Amino acid sequence: MVVTRRRNRFRPSAWVGLVMLWVGVGVGVGVGVGVGGCGDDAVSGSDAGPDGAADARSLPDVVPVAPDPGFDEDYVAVGSDVTVTTLLQTLRSKYPPDAQLVDRWNRLLVPSPEIGRRYPQPGEPHLARDELGAGGSVDGTRMSLLYFVHLADAQLIDTQSPSYVPTNKYTTLGDSLPAFHQDGPLAPHLLDSAVQTANQFGLGRPFDFFIHTGDAIEDAQANEIQWFLTIMDGGSVHPDSGAADDPIPGPDNDAWDSFEARGLNAGVPWYAVVGNHDLSVNGQFPLGLIEEANVEPYLTEITPLLAEFEVTLPGVGTADTAPNVFAPDQMPAFLVELGDMDVEDLMNEEEIRSLAPGAVVPDANRSFMDGCGFIDAHFTTTTEPVGHGFTQASRQTCTGNYVVDSVAGLPIRMIVLDTGPHVGGSQGVLTPPLNPDGSVNQALVGDPDHDQLAWLVLELDRAETDQVAVIMVSHHASKSISQGNAFADIFNLFFPDEQVLRDLWNSHFIQPEQWFSGRDLRDLLTSYPNVFLHLVGHSHENRVNAVCPDGDLLDSEEISEGQGCEPPADGRTAANGYWEVMAASTRDFPNQFRISEVVDNGDGTGSVYTTVVDCLGGAGSLHELGLYLALADHQLDGKEDTVATGLIPDRNAELRFAWAPEVVTALATVNAATNIESLTTLAEPAPGLPTLPIWN
């Protein structure tokens, strides 16, 4: 299918009136006032509003969003022939990152050309943070122990699959499902740009490893994980499925054309983590439920019940019909042209809701993968290590718990915890071993081969005995670990008489009889003074939280309000605290990742330097188009309740901590590099990137 561009789909407000407001004329201007000569930005008063029927005279005045007061209009960008971290330069909108730029009547509150646009801005130095009370200094001889890349939530998505249901973005479940993304087809390109950007900072000293903290893919499909693995390995990526369509005629010019991924720099190992999207459709729906509910008699009966919540049951990936047929001539990835970008080429709510069921070209490569399938796929790569952390035990139990000493001879160990959930839903779940009905399987409690809490305690004890420091890793942060499964109760609460459908639903959305909360996890980890860092993803935000020695968590908002950790009590010390560090998504705004470095300060303390890096790839590239669409999606989506970029303390930081005494002893025999890469390599320009993607 060949796509052509279209206009007049969003309803921009009257920019003559808004400019008058910005320059201080002080005239309240509604839609329909001063629209003459506004070209594509014009809209008549008679068709303003979400349904095109509202009378402009009944609408309140447009209230424009003011530019971010911290935006530097005079900043001169670094050269385009180099690659930089956000220590040197950031990419930002002119408007606050938490501002919604369209009102409830779909009127734009900033000039249309500003939607999706990022500008180079001054970099941000590392902020020294010591909420844990480690003290110490950085004046002595320091050693750089670990130098690694932290990626998260690539969520490569097959937008042609029957499992992809954009209309589920708008439900009455209390929150929208993450079911539609303006930049969806470009997710592979954004991951490729992240990998190639990171590689530039490992040309001198190689990275010790990359780690991706879960949600590599969107809908647990085999073709999605193959795209991910190929981008990490290097090789030819074919991000198309179903019909061999060419939305923009010709090779090497659109998101579905094959491209060449260079992969990680040779010899650099990488590790994987299980996330909710890796296990379920849309990161919510258990695969078995989708397969069973899409056949009769269930399909006819469950469809109208879910429709009461404005939820559409996703289809089976390999099916020949789809609940939402989403043609490329509707997808912004094929409509928007760099240099001639227009917000009207984005999909609005009305158009998303109008997507209808229909026939699609089936594709066997869209087959679902359960936890075992996801783990098994990591044993098919050409890069190291075999399995990328997952073990033969992981393959047998279909869970992604593992331990790795990433650098031989270094007293630092990673303990990777699979927070699933394996019971449906999106939040992390930690439970004792369960029976199919959610009750505790008492026969397996305490068996580390089946009880992940017993396994975690066993590994924490072993690390303490081995006198090694611990980096915990999981997909979910502690605040995202649930104390139950809200999805499990939907049919029980709202459809108590539908016994057959309740049984089907609850056989997949399982309500655990017992669970281990995020607070429980923090209390456990702070009981081990050798735990100093917890790497997470899931929320698509830059976050750095201090976990105090007593298990309390302090986020940047609380710290900015003057809150701090209480003095350690009950025999605990500053070493019982640790840092919880979240990386943002490479696919979704702000399209960033982290480069982190663990440093021994030589005085019983350590520092974790964490540096945020923008995904880069060259002007006029598909990467740049992906960045535009990701930011536009964020700006137009009413996400004023979150700041994905994080506050300043969530971005570039030096995180001080105290080593456990036994680790100090072990470090005394370590001979490591004395150059701190975060203060040198990452603070300087690296060689430039080619324009991405690199075509086959």
Side-chain angles (χ1 to χ4, degrees), residues 56-218:
R57 292 170 296 179
S58 68
L59 298 180
D61 293 342
V62 171
V63 180
V65 174
D68 190 329
F71 185 81
D72 186 349
E73 294 277 3
D74 300 321
Y75 176 70
V76 178
V78 300
S80 60
D81 58 341
V82 294
T83 304
V84 297
T85 72
T86 61
L87 292 173
L88 281 179
Q89 179 172 277
T90 64
L91 296 176
R92 293 183 184 169
S93 167
K94 185 180 291 187
Y95 298 90
D98 59 340
Q100 184 182 358
L101 304 188
V102 63
D103 68 13
R104 60 182 297 187
W105 296 280
N106 285 340
R107 300 179 301 182
L108 287 178
L109 305 180
V110 299
S112 179
E114 294 295 341
I115 296 296
R117 185 172 180 182
R118 305 188 198 205
Y119 296 84
Q121 287 288 281
E124 299 175 340
H126 292 113
L127 177 68
R129 295 185 56 180
D130 191 20
E131 286 85 11
L132 304 182
S137 71
V138 294
D139 297 330
T141 301
R142 311 173 79 192
M143 293 191 299
S144 175
L145 304 175
L146 279 180
Y147 181 50
F148 63 93
V149 176
H150 179 187
L151 303 168
D153 298 276
Q155 287 183 226
L156 307 191
I157 183 169
D158 180 357
T159 54
Q160 302 173 88
S161 171
S163 299
Y164 183 56
V165 186
T167 54
N168 279 343
K169 179 180 176 67
Y170 305 102
T171 74
T172 57
L173 289 175
D175 192 14
S176 64
L177 298 177
F180 171 75
H181 306 275
Q182 304 278 2
D183 61 329
L186 292 159
H189 297 276
L190 289 166
L191 175 61
D192 181 50
S193 74
V195 169
Q196 297 206 43
T197 300
N199 282 343
Q200 302 304 95
F201 298 100
L203 298 177
R205 174 182 170 180
F207 291 112
D208 292 304
F209 59 88
F210 280 54
I211 188 160
H212 185 275
T213 51
D215 282 1
I217 57 180
E218 179 76 9

Side-chain angles (χ1 to χ4, degrees), residues 142-149 198-210 265 268 407 410 595-599 671-678 680-682:
R142 311 173 79 192
M143 293 191 299
S144 175
L145 304 175
L146 279 180
Y147 181 50
F148 63 93
V149 176
N199 282 343
Q200 302 304 95
F201 298 100
L203 298 177
R205 174 182 170 180
F207 291 112
D208 292 304
F209 59 88
F210 280 54
N265 288 340
V268 176
V407 176
L410 189 68
I595 298 177
S596 294
E597 186 174 15
V598 179
V599 173
N671 183 21
T674 57
N675 182 56
I676 311 303
E677 302 294 330
S678 301
T680 54
T681 301
L682 301 187

Side-chain angles (χ1 to χ4, degrees), residues 154-454:
Q155 287 183 226
L156 307 191
I157 183 169
D158 180 357
T159 54
Q160 302 173 88
S161 171
S163 299
Y164 183 56
V165 186
T167 54
N168 279 343
K169 179 180 176 67
Y170 305 102
T171 74
T172 57
L173 289 175
D175 192 14
S176 64
L177 298 177
F180 171 75
H181 306 275
Q182 304 278 2
D183 61 329
L186 292 159
H189 297 276
L190 289 166
L191 175 61
D192 181 50
S193 74
V195 169
Q196 297 206 43
T197 300
N199 282 343
Q200 302 304 95
F201 298 100
L203 298 177
R205 174 182 170 180
F207 291 112
D208 292 304
F209 59 88
F210 280 54
I211 188 160
H212 185 275
T213 51
D215 282 1
I217 57 180
E218 179 76 9
D219 288 317
Q221 291 188 179
N223 59 340
E224 293 173 339
I225 191 60
Q226 188 56 56
W227 301 339
F228 177 85
L229 297 176
T230 304
I231 291 170
M232 299 297 282
D233 275 2
S236 184
V237 183
H238 307 280
D240 194 3
S241 73
D245 37 19
D246 189 17
I248 300 177
D252 305 345
N253 61 7
D254 69 54
W256 288 344
D257 287 337
S258 298
F259 67 94
E260 192 71 19
R262 287 184 170 175
L264 277 61
N265 288 340
V268 176
W270 64 272
Y271 298 96
V273 179
V274 174
N276 53 297
H277 280 267
D278 303 320
L279 299 172
S280 55
V281 173
N282 197 216
Q284 308 275 349
F285 298 96
L287 304 181
L289 173 68
I290 298 303
E291 291 172 332
E292 286 193 61
N294 269 285
V295 298
E296 299 298 352
Y298 297 127
L299 182 60
T300 299
E301 295 181 8
I302 201 171
T303 297
L305 297 183
L306 291 178
E308 294 188 27
F309 301 102
E310 297 188 82
V311 173
T312 298
L313 183 73
V316 175
T318 55
D320 59 5
T321 59
N324 286 176
V325 175
F326 194 20
D329 64 354
Q330 298 170 292
M331 297 182 183
F334 305 107
L335 294 171
V336 172
E337 294 181 6
L338 289 168
D340 186 23
M341 294 185 286
D342 195 300
V343 71
E344 297 170 6
D345 287 325
L346 305 176
M347 286 197 79
N348 61 30
E349 178 176 345
E350 180 182 359
E351 291 172 319
I352 294 170
R353 286 182 178 274
S354 70
L355 294 175
V360 295
V361 176
D363 191 333
N365 293 318
R366 295 176 181 147
S367 60
F368 288 150
M369 298 181 306
D370 60 9
C372 274
F374 179 78
I375 289 168
D376 285 346
H378 288 78
F379 286 81
T380 65
T381 69
T382 60
T383 45
E384 296 296 327
V386 174
H388 300 286
F390 299 131
T391 64
Q392 292 302 322
S394 305
R395 303 179 83 172
Q396 294 169 4
T397 62
C398 301
T399 55
N401 303 316
Y402 65 87
V403 172
V404 61
D405 294 334
S406 57
V407 176
L410 189 68
I412 298 179
R413 178 171 298 166
M414 286 198 300
I415 299 179
V416 179
L417 184 65
D418 181 352
T419 55
H422 295 265
V423 295
S426 64
Q427 297 297 84
V429 174
L430 297 174
T431 70
L434 302 176
N435 293 310
D437 64 356
S439 62
V440 175
N441 186 329
Q442 296 293 343
L444 297 178
V445 171
D447 180 351
D449 291 336
H450 301 279
D451 186 335
Q452 70 176 150
L453 301 176

Side-chain angles (χ1 to χ4, degrees), residues 7-16 31-45 47-48 108 112 342-344:
R7 297 297 194 195
N8 299 320
R9 300 164 60 251
F10 260 83
R11 306 187 189 281
S13 48
W15 286 112
V16 170
V31 174
V33 178
V35 298
C38 289
D40 280 341
D41 282 338
V43 59
S44 67
D47 66 356
L108 287 178
S112 179
D342 195 300
V343 71
E344 297 170 6

